[in-house]
Amino acid sequence: MFNKLWGGGQQPQQRPQEGNNDSWYPPSVGSSQSPGSSRPGTPSSSGSYGVQRPTDRPSSVSHVSPAEAAGIIAALKDKSVDELRNLLSNKDAYQNFLLSLEPVKTQNKVRDDLRNETLQLARENLEKEPQIMELRNQCTIIRTTELAAAQENLHELQRRKEELLKFYSPVSLLHRLQDAMNKTEEESESLEKQLLEGEIDLTSFVQKYKKLRHIYHKRALTHLAAKTHL
């Protein structure tokens, strides 16, 4: 079989027995060989080239890309039958062969690079811990001192805002205008009483009374227009 597949090598006189107790391979690796072939099965891979555990089910679909499979076959085809048998029975030999494959080297390099980058980020974070603690203390001080004063000032400004809005609201303006009308009316009545009691002369009365009534009617018309609009 090796002569047919790889074009060289001596035909073994005795085939390795299937399920050899000396082999450290799980049954799935040994059973992957055809019954009449002395060629050891190529270890399968699911992307990490790890050895299949004995408890795992053998996958019916290969996850090795054609390029990776070609590379593995190229690495195996020049080995002798004894070397291939050694890979099946010697765990250390198989591990060394596995680590010599280019896809495994690439994957291990990527893993090491990611691990080193993670460690570097962790070191940088640890180096920034004193700065983080200092900023946290400053935030605490600001929250307990400056923030409290700013909140108190904000509440005072909000209170003044509410008072101004209430003071200049349309309803409040109408009430104050009504109060001013009532006050003008009272002043007019008081001026009439002074005239009747002789406390003021007619000329002064006419002048003052005319002014008061003008103010009163002006406010009354404003009040009526605002009330109608609202």
Side-chain angles (χ1 to χ4, degrees):
M1 181 64 68
F2 286 104
N3 291 332
K4 293 180 179 179
L5 292 177
W6 299 327
Q10 184 178 0
Q11 179 70 23
Q13 297 178 358
Q14 184 179 359
R15 298 171 181 170
Q17 297 179 357
E18 295 182 3
N20 188 355
N21 294 332
D22 295 336
S23 175
W24 62 275
Y25 276 86
S28 61
V29 177
S31 61
S32 64
Q33 307 175 30
S34 61
S37 173
S38 61
R39 178 186 176 186
T42 302
S44 61
S45 170
S46 60
S48 62
Y49 294 92
V51 178
Q52 189 179 28
R53 299 178 181 175
T55 57
D56 294 340
R57 294 181 180 179
S59 177
S60 60
V61 180
S62 175
H63 297 285
V64 181
S65 66
E68 292 173 345
I72 296 173
I73 293 175
L76 288 171
K77 71 178 182 178
D78 294 331
K79 294 186 179 297
S80 65
V81 175
D82 291 336
E83 289 175 332
L84 295 174
R85 288 176 177 171
N86 186 41
L87 290 177
L88 283 175
S89 59
N90 190 330
K91 184 176 181 179
D92 293 335
Y94 176 78
Q95 187 70 16
N96 292 332
F97 170 75
L98 181 67
L99 295 177
S100 68
L101 297 175
E102 285 301 324
V104 178
K105 290 181 180 179
T106 301
Q107 178 175 316
N108 289 340
K109 183 178 183 302
V110 172
R111 179 199 62 193
D112 293 339
D113 291 343
L114 291 175
R115 180 173 57 190
N116 293 334
E117 290 178 4
T118 303
L119 291 174
Q120 180 63 26
L121 289 175
R123 294 190 189 99
E124 292 178 359
N125 290 337
L126 290 175
E127 291 175 356
K128 293 178 181 179
E129 185 175 4
Q131 182 180 0
I132 294 174
M133 294 299 298
E134 177 65 22
L135 292 175
R136 184 176 299 172
N137 293 334
Q138 292 181 7
C139 290
T140 302
I141 294 174
I142 292 174
R143 184 169 58 249
T144 55
T145 57
E146 298 180 11
L147 180 61
Q151 286 180 339
E152 184 178 356
N153 188 26
L154 177 62
H155 293 159
E156 177 64 21
L157 292 175
Q158 288 178 341
R159 186 186 62 81
R160 291 177 57 185
K161 173 187 173 183
E162 295 296 331
E163 290 179 353
L164 290 174
L165 290 176
K166 184 178 179 181
F167 183 79
Y168 290 104
S169 66
V171 176
S172 178
L173 291 174
L174 285 176
H175 284 305
R176 294 206 308 275
L177 187 58
Q178 183 66 49
D179 293 339
M181 289 171 55
N182 296 336
K183 183 178 180 181
T184 305
E185 184 68 20
E186 292 175 356
E187 290 178 356
S188 298
E189 293 177 355
S190 176
L191 191 62
E192 291 177 0
K193 184 178 180 180
Q194 291 178 6
L195 177 64
L196 294 176
E197 295 179 352
E199 297 178 358
I200 186 174
D201 60 277
L202 182 60
T203 303
S204 299
F205 168 78
V206 171
Q207 185 178 4
K208 292 180 179 181
Y209 190 80
K210 180 180 178 181
K211 183 178 180 181
L212 288 174
R213 300 316 296 173
H214 175 76
I215 294 174
Y216 174 83
H217 289 294
K218 182 178 179 180
R219 290 174 177 175
L221 291 173
T222 304
H223 182 273
L224 179 62
K227 189 175 181 180
T228 304
H229 177 71
L230 292 176

